[in-house]
Amino acid sequence: MKLTLRIAACLLCLVLCLGAIACADNSGDDVQTTTPADNTTPTPGQDTDSPTSDTSEGPESSLPELNFGGKQITTLYWEDVERAEFFEDDISGDNVRDAIHARNLAVEEQLGVKLNYVGTPGNVNHSSDYLKKVQNSFNAGEKIYNILASHSRTGAVVAAGGMTQNLLAIEDSYLDLEKPWWPPTMVETSTIGNGMYFISGDISTNTLHFMYGIYYNMDMVTDRGLDDPTDLALAGTWTIDKMIAMTTDMYEDINNNNVADYGDFFGLSTLYFHADSFYSAAGMRWIDKDANGYMQVSADYGSEKSINLAEKLSAWFSSGVCFTKNNNNEVCKTFAEGNSLFTQNRIYIADSQHTCGLNSASFKYGVVPVPKYDEAQDSYYTTVGNPFTLYEIMKGSNDQDVATAVLECLAYHGYKLTTPAIFEVNMKYKYSSGDKTAQCFDLIHDNIVFDLGRLFGAQLNTMSELWSKACVNGTGWSGQVKANEKSISRMVTKLNSSFE
């Protein structure tokens, strides 16, 4: 496969050099030469030599040799996705976008298909627009979309509406759900009863961009003689109690206006709706499965552990050392400007596209997982923010076997090309300050968890956000459980009926 070799060589050159590259596409057009944009400014203290990422390592695809004769497979995708994921028309010099371009070329060449992408708004503010577009096509019996690629919560609504195919019931399916590009936690989570109606993993670049973590100011940790969170994380002793203790009495009214606001110094900066990542990081779930694989409210939801954690966070958030305003720009900039020890957010805030400026901060920063509940907990758990993509096959569409081959091939080449571009080069090189920080990225990535309580938030009274609000507002979680648990259980029962 000459094109595949050429694609791999192009990506390897990009990873090694992060410099000017030239790459020919399969059409025989003139070679286009581009110079990468200057988006590789290292964090102060980093080496400037990029590590290599050998895309030939790791498991190989189980796909047989296939040629579908140029068949077009059409994907309806959410065009307001926050980070590039679906297609790139040409080589641009941006390592992630070029990896997406190479991935798609590789899929088309390997399968003998033409990938056709149709965009429509579909983020959390346009979920109803995306849903309406799918409904209109489905009800008209048009069968023009083979694959649906949507914001996670939008995709869950589409699946509950009965418009997506059970992936486990497709004859001659090429999906191999035992491969590592389909995370086991996603496979388990997305299986409801005897069916699976959506899937994600390395096929979605945004599963990596939206992993939750804790960034911290390494210079400040050293200057104040604090324990290094990276050392604690790698030793397995990074806990919520230690994180809280490190911020004690840390607030300073820098702007002298007698109000705790943007411009002051805090121990932690975060948005209120990020708080539920502490819940998942403690090993708790929102939704579990019954003996038949259907959804039920987890026993964790109203447990003593969840109540105790909510109370602990409420006391911390209200102590004056935490900046929890509902303004993401101010939250991110508070940390990037050196005005907080920690920030809790999605990993992508350190990339060059983010407006907060963390990528070019004047201090060294590290990143660690969201902390454990206590040291007795076996491992860390990483929540993925909602703006990642669920992939589905539209119910009643043609060529469903071909669509499964496309999904499998996209995920495989994502594992080989886009994931290394994002994770190995951007996250573990551009955003980190050394080998130990890179190991912490591995801890974050290798412990990703998914939860139907978050995916079906729109149908379940945004149950995870209720917990976050209780923590930030100090309203007490036990009372919230009593007020909402029965109604949410009824919602779960109704939701289960959509998949029976």
Side-chain angles (χ1 to χ4, degrees):
M1 294 185 178
K2 294 182 180 179
L3 178 59
T4 302
L5 293 174
R6 191 155 63 244
I7 293 164
C10 178
L11 263 294
L12 182 58
C13 176
L14 184 64
V15 171
L16 286 170
C17 301
L18 292 178
I21 62 172
C23 184
D25 66 16
N26 194 38
S27 65
D29 292 339
D30 292 339
V31 174
Q32 178 177 358
T33 303
T34 61
T35 301
D38 184 16
N39 62 355
T40 59
T41 304
T43 304
Q46 287 181 219
D47 294 330
T48 55
D49 293 326
S50 171
T52 62
S53 177
D54 186 351
T55 59
S56 67
E57 294 182 352
E60 294 300 320
S61 170
S62 60
L63 284 170
E65 288 192 16
L66 297 168
N67 189 333
F68 294 109
K71 187 178 292 293
Q72 178 171 284
I73 296 297
T74 298
T75 297
L76 179 68
Y77 72 98
W78 58 305
E79 63 186 9
D80 42 11
V81 63
E82 294 190 33
R83 289 296 183 272
E85 177 163 336
F86 303 108
F87 69 94
E88 294 295 324
D89 291 329
D90 213 336
I91 294 292
S92 66
D94 177 273
N95 63 305
V96 175
R97 292 180 181 275
D98 290 351
I100 292 170
H101 180 71
R103 176 201 65 191
N104 288 10
L105 286 177
V107 171
E108 290 184 330
E109 191 269 347
Q110 181 175 340
L111 300 180
V113 297
K114 176 63 177 175
L115 300 179
N116 178 42
Y117 287 91
V118 177
T120 191
N123 65 16
V124 69
N125 296 318
H126 297 99
S127 179
S128 59
D129 297 330
Y130 187 98
L131 178 62
K132 184 177 181 180
K133 197 171 187 72
V134 176
Q135 284 177 327
N136 289 343
S137 179
F138 182 80
N139 293 337
E142 294 175 335
K143 302 182 180 180
I144 58 176
Y145 308 122
N146 304 97
I147 295 171
L148 305 176
S150 58
H151 183 286
S152 66
R153 286 192 168 180
T154 302
V157 172
V158 172
M163 292 175 285
T164 65
Q165 179 64 42
N166 178 1
L167 299 176
L168 303 181
I170 296 175
E171 294 186 13
D172 302 320
S173 172
Y174 292 100
L175 290 174
D176 188 345
L177 298 174
E178 295 184 358
K179 293 296 186 180
W181 38 90
W182 304 117
T185 54
M186 169 50 74
V187 173
E188 185 276 330
T189 298
S190 59
T191 303
I192 304 173
N194 296 317
M196 177 187 291
Y197 303 90
F198 45 78
I199 193 67
S200 195
D202 288 82
I203 193 172
S204 172
T205 58
N206 284 286
T207 58
L208 296 182
H209 287 304
F210 284 88
M211 298 183 301
Y212 274 96
I214 304 291
Y215 281 101
Y216 70 97
N217 187 317
M218 298 181 79
D219 293 346
M220 199 175 297
V221 164
T222 300
D223 293 344
R224 297 186 179 226
L226 301 172
D227 290 336
D228 187 342
T230 294
D231 291 337
L232 295 174
L234 295 178
T237 58
W238 173 236
T239 65
I240 186 64
D241 285 338
K242 289 183 178 177
M243 184 176 175
I244 292 172
M246 291 175 72
T247 66
T248 301
D249 299 325
M250 197 165 274
Y251 171 74
E252 297 177 34
D253 185 12
I254 295 177
N255 58 20
N256 296 313
N257 65 356
N258 297 316
V259 177
D261 60 1
Y262 176 65
D264 291 343
F265 183 86
F266 298 88
L268 169 74
S269 62
T270 187
L271 284 168
Y272 86 88
F273 59 81
H274 294 334
D276 64 358
S277 69
F278 287 108
Y279 178 102
S280 299
M284 295 186 288
R285 297 184 64 85
W286 307 104
I287 293 292
D288 277 325
K289 305 282 183 63
D290 64 20
N292 295 315
Y294 287 99
M295 293 175 279
Q296 61 183 14
V297 177
S298 173
D300 295 330
Y301 194 60
S303 68
E304 182 179 352
K305 183 177 180 179
S306 73
I307 293 170
N308 288 343
L309 181 57
E311 290 176 350
K312 183 175 296 186
L313 291 176
S314 292
W316 187 30
F317 292 155
S318 63
S319 67
V321 301
C322 298
F323 183 72
T324 58
K325 305 302 180 184
N326 191 22
N327 185 316
N328 193 35
N329 188 50
E330 291 185 354
V331 164
C332 293
K333 283 190 173 182
T334 293
F335 180 73
E337 293 169 354
N339 285 335
S340 67
L341 174 63
F342 296 110
T343 192
Q344 175 208 32
N345 216 308
R346 288 83 175 262
I347 292 298
Y348 81 120
I349 66 168
D351 71 23
S352 60
Q353 297 180 58
H354 204 280
T355 59
C356 73
L358 180 56
N359 187 259
S360 57
S362 61
F363 56 87
K364 291 193 295 184
Y365 53 84
V367 63
V368 291
V370 178
K372 296 179 179 180
Y373 181 77
D374 55 33
E375 289 187 25
Q377 187 173 308
D378 289 337
S379 64
Y380 300 98
Y381 298 102
T382 300
T383 303
V384 179
N386 293 320
F388 74 97
T389 303
L390 291 183
Y391 285 77
E392 301 158 319
I393 293 178
M394 193 163 180
K395 192 172 184 179
S397 61
N398 297 322
D399 303 312
Q400 293 190 355
D401 58 332
V402 183
T404 64
V406 168
L407 291 179
E408 181 68 20
C409 206
L410 282 170
Y412 165 68
H413 287 293
Y415 179 83
K416 292 289 186 174
L417 296 174
T418 59
T419 292
I422 297 168
F423 190 63
E424 299 294 338
V425 180
N426 276 16
M427 291 188 178
K428 290 175 70 175
Y429 168 64
K430 286 186 186 177
Y431 307 167
S432 71
S433 58
D435 289 342
K436 289 197 298 184
T437 301
Q439 292 176 49
C440 281
F441 269 117
D442 288 329
L443 284 178
I444 295 168
H445 172 262
D446 294 346
N447 292 288
I448 285 177
V449 293
F450 300 91
D451 198 301
L452 292 173
R454 289 174 58 83
L455 295 180
F456 287 113
Q459 294 102 318
L460 298 178
N461 198 25
T462 57
M463 61 188 302
S464 65
E465 292 175 27
L466 290 176
W467 191 85
S468 293
K469 289 177 181 178
C471 292
V472 173
N473 297 333
T475 53
W477 181 235
S478 59
Q480 292 293 309
V481 170
K482 292 177 182 178
N484 292 285
E485 192 168 27
K486 288 184 178 180
S487 63
I488 292 175
S489 292
R490 289 193 294 269
M491 294 174 190
V492 170
T493 299
K494 180 179 179 181
L495 189 57
N496 278 328
S497 65
S498 303
F499 299 98
E500 293 175 346

